mmCIF file of all heavy atoms in Angstrom:
data_model
loop_
_atom_site.group_PDB
_atom_site.id
_atom_site.type_symbol
_atom_site.label_atom_id
_atom_site.label_comp_id
_atom_site.label_asym_id
_atom_site.label_seq_id
_atom_site.Cartn_x
_atom_site.Cartn_y
_atom_site.Cartn_z
ATOM 1 N N PHE D 27 -20.596 57.513 7.266
ATOM 2 C CA PHE D 27 -20.646 56.617 8.422
ATOM 3 C C PHE D 27 -19.307 55.904 8.605
ATOM 4 O O PHE D 27 -18.752 55.870 9.700
ATOM 5 C CB PHE D 27 -21.763 55.581 8.268
ATOM 6 C CG PHE D 27 -23.153 56.126 8.411
ATOM 7 C CD1 PHE D 27 -24.120 55.821 7.474
ATOM 8 C CD2 PHE D 27 -23.500 56.937 9.479
ATOM 9 C CE1 PHE D 27 -25.416 56.304 7.595
ATOM 10 C CE2 PHE D 27 -24.791 57.438 9.616
ATOM 11 C CZ PHE D 27 -25.747 57.122 8.662
ATOM 12 N N ILE D 28 -18.808 55.306 7.525
ATOM 13 C CA ILE D 28 -17.564 54.532 7.591
ATOM 14 C C ILE D 28 -16.403 55.418 8.023
ATOM 15 O O ILE D 28 -15.615 55.053 8.900
ATOM 16 C CB ILE D 28 -17.289 53.846 6.235
ATOM 17 C CG1 ILE D 28 -18.346 52.763 5.973
ATOM 18 C CG2 ILE D 28 -15.879 53.254 6.195
ATOM 19 C CD1 ILE D 28 -18.378 52.239 4.556
ATOM 20 N N GLU D 29 -16.277 56.587 7.421
ATOM 21 C CA GLU D 29 -15.175 57.493 7.738
ATOM 22 C C GLU D 29 -15.240 58.011 9.171
ATOM 23 O O GLU D 29 -14.226 58.406 9.732
ATOM 24 C CB GLU D 29 -15.148 58.645 6.737
ATOM 25 C CG GLU D 29 -14.722 58.189 5.354
ATOM 26 C CD GLU D 29 -15.038 59.184 4.246
ATOM 27 O OE1 GLU D 29 -15.539 60.298 4.530
ATOM 28 O OE2 GLU D 29 -14.796 58.817 3.075
ATOM 29 N N ASN D 30 -16.417 57.990 9.778
ATOM 30 C CA ASN D 30 -16.579 58.437 11.162
ATOM 31 C C ASN D 30 -16.635 57.280 12.159
ATOM 32 O O ASN D 30 -16.995 57.470 13.324
ATOM 33 C CB ASN D 30 -17.815 59.328 11.292
ATOM 34 C CG ASN D 30 -17.564 60.698 10.711
ATOM 35 O OD1 ASN D 30 -16.804 61.478 11.272
ATOM 36 N ND2 ASN D 30 -18.161 60.997 9.578
ATOM 37 N N GLY D 31 -16.282 56.075 11.695
ATOM 38 C CA GLY D 31 -16.172 54.924 12.589
ATOM 39 C C GLY D 31 -17.476 54.259 12.972
ATOM 40 O O GLY D 31 -17.509 53.466 13.911
ATOM 41 N N VAL D 32 -18.555 54.570 12.262
ATOM 42 C CA VAL D 32 -19.841 53.928 12.542
ATOM 43 C C VAL D 32 -19.890 52.608 11.775
ATOM 44 O O VAL D 32 -19.715 52.600 10.554
ATOM 45 C CB VAL D 32 -21.023 54.826 12.114
ATOM 46 C CG1 VAL D 32 -22.356 54.113 12.344
ATOM 47 C CG2 VAL D 32 -20.979 56.156 12.851
ATOM 48 N N PRO D 33 -20.106 51.480 12.455
ATOM 49 C CA PRO D 33 -20.209 50.211 11.734
ATOM 50 C C PRO D 33 -21.446 50.208 10.831
ATOM 51 O O PRO D 33 -22.540 50.568 11.262
ATOM 52 C CB PRO D 33 -20.331 49.150 12.824
ATOM 53 C CG PRO D 33 -20.226 49.846 14.127
ATOM 54 C CD PRO D 33 -20.256 51.309 13.892
ATOM 55 N N VAL D 34 -21.255 49.795 9.596
ATOM 56 C CA VAL D 34 -22.341 49.750 8.606
ATOM 57 C C VAL D 34 -22.732 48.304 8.363
ATOM 58 O O VAL D 34 -21.875 47.445 8.167
ATOM 59 C CB VAL D 34 -21.902 50.428 7.287
ATOM 60 C CG1 VAL D 34 -22.920 50.198 6.184
ATOM 61 C CG2 VAL D 34 -21.685 51.918 7.506
ATOM 62 N N ALA D 35 -24.033 48.045 8.381
ATOM 63 C CA ALA D 35 -24.584 46.732 8.035
ATOM 64 C C ALA D 35 -25.471 46.916 6.802
ATOM 65 O O ALA D 35 -26.003 48.005 6.571
ATOM 66 C CB ALA D 35 -25.401 46.164 9.194
ATOM 67 N N LEU D 36 -25.604 45.859 6.016
ATOM 68 C CA LEU D 36 -26.463 45.897 4.831
ATOM 69 C C LEU D 36 -27.632 44.945 4.998
ATOM 70 O O LEU D 36 -27.486 43.867 5.570
ATOM 71 C CB LEU D 36 -25.681 45.489 3.575
ATOM 72 C CG LEU D 36 -24.582 46.427 3.110
ATOM 73 C CD1 LEU D 36 -23.835 45.801 1.935
ATOM 74 C CD2 LEU D 36 -25.146 47.783 2.721
ATOM 75 N N GLY D 37 -28.782 45.350 4.476
ATOM 76 C CA GLY D 37 -29.968 44.500 4.466
ATOM 77 C C GLY D 37 -30.671 44.610 3.133
ATOM 78 O O GLY D 37 -30.450 45.560 2.379
ATOM 79 N N SER D 38 -31.527 43.637 2.839
ATOM 80 C CA SER D 38 -32.228 43.627 1.550
ATOM 81 C C SER D 38 -33.529 44.423 1.591
ATOM 82 O O SER D 38 -34.025 44.845 0.561
ATOM 83 C CB SER D 38 -32.542 42.196 1.123
ATOM 84 O OG SER D 38 -33.499 41.626 2.006
ATOM 85 N N ASP D 39 -34.112 44.612 2.766
ATOM 86 C CA ASP D 39 -35.418 45.266 2.911
ATOM 87 C C ASP D 39 -36.458 44.560 2.046
ATOM 88 O O ASP D 39 -37.205 45.180 1.311
ATOM 89 C CB ASP D 39 -35.341 46.756 2.557
ATOM 90 C CG ASP D 39 -36.588 47.514 2.995
ATOM 91 O OD1 ASP D 39 -37.253 47.062 3.939
ATOM 92 O OD2 ASP D 39 -36.902 48.544 2.382
ATOM 93 N N PHE D 40 -36.502 43.238 2.146
ATOM 94 C CA PHE D 40 -37.437 42.434 1.343
ATOM 95 C C PHE D 40 -38.868 42.745 1.754
ATOM 96 O O PHE D 40 -39.330 42.353 2.814
ATOM 97 C CB PHE D 40 -37.133 40.951 1.527
ATOM 98 C CG PHE D 40 -38.057 40.045 0.769
ATOM 99 C CD1 PHE D 40 -38.091 40.071 -0.610
ATOM 100 C CD2 PHE D 40 -38.890 39.173 1.437
ATOM 101 C CE1 PHE D 40 -38.938 39.240 -1.318
ATOM 102 C CE2 PHE D 40 -39.747 38.332 0.743
ATOM 103 C CZ PHE D 40 -39.764 38.370 -0.635
ATOM 104 N N ASN D 41 -39.568 43.489 0.930
ATOM 105 C CA ASN D 41 -40.975 43.808 1.141
ATOM 106 C C ASN D 41 -41.554 44.290 -0.190
ATOM 107 O O ASN D 41 -40.832 44.404 -1.173
ATOM 108 C CB ASN D 41 -41.140 44.843 2.267
ATOM 109 C CG ASN D 41 -40.652 46.217 1.887
ATOM 110 O OD1 ASN D 41 -41.235 46.855 1.018
ATOM 111 N ND2 ASN D 41 -39.600 46.689 2.518
ATOM 112 N N PRO D 42 -42.837 44.569 -0.267
ATOM 113 C CA PRO D 42 -43.436 44.924 -1.562
ATOM 114 C C PRO D 42 -42.817 46.132 -2.268
ATOM 115 O O PRO D 42 -42.857 46.219 -3.479
ATOM 116 C CB PRO D 42 -44.904 45.207 -1.210
ATOM 117 C CG PRO D 42 -45.162 44.348 -0.013
ATOM 118 C CD PRO D 42 -43.874 44.391 0.764
ATOM 119 N N ASN D 43 -42.211 47.068 -1.531
ATOM 120 C CA ASN D 43 -41.644 48.228 -2.224
ATOM 121 C C ASN D 43 -40.203 48.003 -2.674
ATOM 122 O O ASN D 43 -39.661 48.797 -3.425
ATOM 123 C CB ASN D 43 -41.738 49.500 -1.366
ATOM 124 C CG ASN D 43 -40.719 49.550 -0.259
ATOM 125 O OD1 ASN D 43 -40.210 48.524 0.167
ATOM 126 N ND2 ASN D 43 -40.438 50.727 0.220
ATOM 127 N N ALA D 44 -39.559 46.948 -2.205
ATOM 128 C CA ALA D 44 -38.180 46.636 -2.604
ATOM 129 C C ALA D 44 -38.033 45.124 -2.653
ATOM 130 O O ALA D 44 -37.393 44.516 -1.817
ATOM 131 C CB ALA D 44 -37.190 47.255 -1.635
ATOM 132 N N TYR D 45 -38.652 44.522 -3.614
ATOM 133 C CA TYR D 45 -38.765 43.067 -3.700
ATOM 134 C C TYR D 45 -37.435 42.451 -4.152
ATOM 135 O O TYR D 45 -37.238 42.163 -5.333
ATOM 136 C CB TYR D 45 -39.895 42.708 -4.667
ATOM 137 C CG TYR D 45 -40.431 41.320 -4.501
ATOM 138 C CD1 TYR D 45 -41.342 41.030 -3.508
ATOM 139 C CD2 TYR D 45 -40.008 40.298 -5.340
ATOM 140 C CE1 TYR D 45 -41.843 39.754 -3.351
ATOM 141 C CE2 TYR D 45 -40.505 39.014 -5.183
ATOM 142 C CZ TYR D 45 -41.421 38.746 -4.189
ATOM 143 O OH TYR D 45 -41.915 37.483 -4.040
ATOM 144 N N CYS D 46 -36.525 42.280 -3.215
ATOM 145 C CA CYS D 46 -35.193 41.742 -3.524
ATOM 146 C C CYS D 46 -34.719 40.895 -2.354
ATOM 147 O O CYS D 46 -34.664 41.374 -1.223
ATOM 148 C CB CYS D 46 -34.208 42.885 -3.781
ATOM 149 S SG CYS D 46 -32.518 42.316 -4.003
ATOM 150 N N ILE D 47 -34.370 39.641 -2.639
ATOM 151 C CA ILE D 47 -33.792 38.784 -1.599
ATOM 152 C C ILE D 47 -32.352 38.408 -1.944
ATOM 153 O O ILE D 47 -31.770 37.551 -1.321
ATOM 154 C CB ILE D 47 -34.637 37.518 -1.367
ATOM 155 C CG1 ILE D 47 -34.774 36.705 -2.646
ATOM 156 C CG2 ILE D 47 -35.982 37.858 -0.773
ATOM 157 C CD1 ILE D 47 -35.434 35.351 -2.459
ATOM 158 N N SER D 48 -31.771 39.076 -2.914
ATOM 159 C CA SER D 48 -30.424 38.762 -3.380
ATOM 160 C C SER D 48 -29.386 39.618 -2.661
ATOM 161 O O SER D 48 -29.206 40.795 -2.979
ATOM 162 C CB SER D 48 -30.330 38.994 -4.893
ATOM 163 O OG SER D 48 -28.985 38.887 -5.312
ATOM 164 N N MET D 49 -28.695 39.029 -1.700
ATOM 165 C CA MET D 49 -27.646 39.786 -1.017
ATOM 166 C C MET D 49 -26.484 40.133 -1.947
ATOM 167 O O MET D 49 -25.895 41.203 -1.796
ATOM 168 C CB MET D 49 -27.170 39.045 0.230
ATOM 169 C CG MET D 49 -28.120 39.183 1.411
ATOM 170 S SD MET D 49 -28.566 40.890 1.847
ATOM 171 C CE MET D 49 -27.024 41.504 2.507
ATOM 172 N N PRO D 50 -26.135 39.289 -2.938
ATOM 173 C CA PRO D 50 -25.108 39.755 -3.885
ATOM 174 C C PRO D 50 -25.532 41.037 -4.611
ATOM 175 O O PRO D 50 -24.697 41.919 -4.830
ATOM 176 C CB PRO D 50 -24.957 38.576 -4.855
ATOM 177 C CG PRO D 50 -25.291 37.383 -4.025
ATOM 178 C CD PRO D 50 -26.425 37.859 -3.138
ATOM 179 N N LEU D 51 -26.808 41.171 -4.957
ATOM 180 C CA LEU D 51 -27.272 42.410 -5.580
ATOM 181 C C LEU D 51 -27.199 43.570 -4.586
ATOM 182 O O LEU D 51 -26.771 44.679 -4.941
ATOM 183 C CB LEU D 51 -28.702 42.264 -6.108
ATOM 184 C CG LEU D 51 -29.322 43.542 -6.686
ATOM 185 C CD1 LEU D 51 -28.505 44.070 -7.858
ATOM 186 C CD2 LEU D 51 -30.764 43.291 -7.100
ATOM 187 N N VAL D 52 -27.584 43.334 -3.345
ATOM 188 C CA VAL D 52 -27.495 44.362 -2.310
ATOM 189 C C VAL D 52 -26.042 44.829 -2.175
ATOM 190 O O VAL D 52 -25.760 46.036 -2.123
ATOM 191 C CB VAL D 52 -28.025 43.835 -0.954
ATOM 192 C CG1 VAL D 52 -27.709 44.796 0.176
ATOM 193 C CG2 VAL D 52 -29.517 43.561 -1.035
ATOM 194 N N MET D 53 -25.112 43.891 -2.152
ATOM 195 C CA MET D 53 -23.700 44.232 -2.030
ATOM 196 C C MET D 53 -23.211 44.998 -3.257
ATOM 197 O O MET D 53 -22.440 45.960 -3.133
ATOM 198 C CB MET D 53 -22.874 42.965 -1.814
ATOM 199 C CG MET D 53 -23.149 42.297 -0.467
ATOM 200 S SD MET D 53 -22.472 40.637 -0.343
ATOM 201 C CE MET D 53 -20.719 40.990 -0.406
ATOM 202 N N ASN D 54 -23.662 44.595 -4.445
ATOM 203 C CA ASN D 54 -23.282 45.304 -5.671
ATOM 204 C C ASN D 54 -23.788 46.738 -5.637
ATOM 205 O O ASN D 54 -23.046 47.678 -5.943
ATOM 206 C CB ASN D 54 -23.814 44.566 -6.894
ATOM 207 C CG ASN D 54 -23.503 45.295 -8.175
ATOM 208 O OD1 ASN D 54 -24.306 46.100 -8.652
ATOM 209 N ND2 ASN D 54 -22.343 45.034 -8.730
ATOM 210 N N LEU D 55 -25.053 46.917 -5.263
ATOM 211 C CA LEU D 55 -25.604 48.267 -5.167
ATOM 212 C C LEU D 55 -24.877 49.101 -4.111
ATOM 213 O O LEU D 55 -24.702 50.310 -4.272
ATOM 214 C CB LEU D 55 -27.096 48.223 -4.868
ATOM 215 C CG LEU D 55 -27.999 47.832 -6.034
ATOM 216 C CD1 LEU D 55 -29.430 47.637 -5.562
ATOM 217 C CD2 LEU D 55 -27.932 48.863 -7.141
ATOM 218 N N ALA D 56 -24.440 48.464 -3.034
ATOM 219 C CA ALA D 56 -23.685 49.181 -2.010
ATOM 220 C C ALA D 56 -22.381 49.717 -2.589
ATOM 221 O O ALA D 56 -21.976 50.845 -2.287
ATOM 222 C CB ALA D 56 -23.409 48.276 -0.815
ATOM 223 N N CYS D 57 -21.753 48.920 -3.439
ATOM 224 C CA CYS D 57 -20.503 49.364 -4.071
ATOM 225 C C CYS D 57 -20.766 50.458 -5.099
ATOM 226 O O CYS D 57 -20.067 51.473 -5.127
ATOM 227 C CB CYS D 57 -19.800 48.188 -4.737
ATOM 228 S SG CYS D 57 -19.192 46.941 -3.587
ATOM 229 N N VAL D 58 -21.777 50.273 -5.932
ATOM 230 C CA VAL D 58 -22.038 51.207 -7.033
ATOM 231 C C VAL D 58 -22.704 52.496 -6.565
ATOM 232 O O VAL D 58 -22.291 53.587 -6.962
ATOM 233 C CB VAL D 58 -22.901 50.511 -8.118
ATOM 234 C CG1 VAL D 58 -23.312 51.487 -9.202
ATOM 235 C CG2 VAL D 58 -22.141 49.336 -8.722
ATOM 236 N N THR D 59 -23.735 52.384 -5.735
ATOM 237 C CA THR D 59 -24.500 53.585 -5.374
ATOM 238 C C THR D 59 -24.069 54.219 -4.050
ATOM 239 O O THR D 59 -24.248 55.414 -3.861
ATOM 240 C CB THR D 59 -26.017 53.298 -5.307
ATOM 241 O OG1 THR D 59 -26.271 52.351 -4.267
ATOM 242 C CG2 THR D 59 -26.533 52.770 -6.626
ATOM 243 N N LEU D 60 -23.519 53.395 -3.128
ATOM 244 C CA LEU D 60 -23.108 53.930 -1.827
ATOM 245 C C LEU D 60 -21.603 54.170 -1.748
ATOM 246 O O LEU D 60 -21.095 54.586 -0.717
ATOM 247 C CB LEU D 60 -23.535 52.995 -0.692
ATOM 248 C CG LEU D 60 -25.008 52.590 -0.624
ATOM 249 C CD1 LEU D 60 -25.274 51.732 0.604
ATOM 250 C CD2 LEU D 60 -25.904 53.799 -0.659
ATOM 251 N N LYS D 61 -20.883 53.831 -2.823
ATOM 252 C CA LYS D 61 -19.429 54.044 -2.912
ATOM 253 C C LYS D 61 -18.637 53.243 -1.877
ATOM 254 O O LYS D 61 -17.576 53.663 -1.435
ATOM 255 C CB LYS D 61 -19.076 55.528 -2.780
ATOM 256 C CG LYS D 61 -19.848 56.457 -3.696
ATOM 257 C CD LYS D 61 -19.467 56.266 -5.133
ATOM 258 C CE LYS D 61 -20.063 57.344 -6.026
ATOM 259 N NZ LYS D 61 -21.258 56.947 -6.733
#
Side-chain angles (χ1 to χ4, degrees):
F27 288 131
I28 292 167
E29 290 164 4
N30 285 290
V32 177
V34 171
L36 293 175
S38 67
D39 193 25
F40 179 64
N41 70 67
N43 76 337
Y45 200 81
C46 174
I47 58 172
S48 171
M49 282 307 290
L51 176 60
V52 170
M53 293 167 66
N54 177 268
L55 285 172
C57 293
V58 174
T59 64
L60 307 183
K61 309 291 189 261

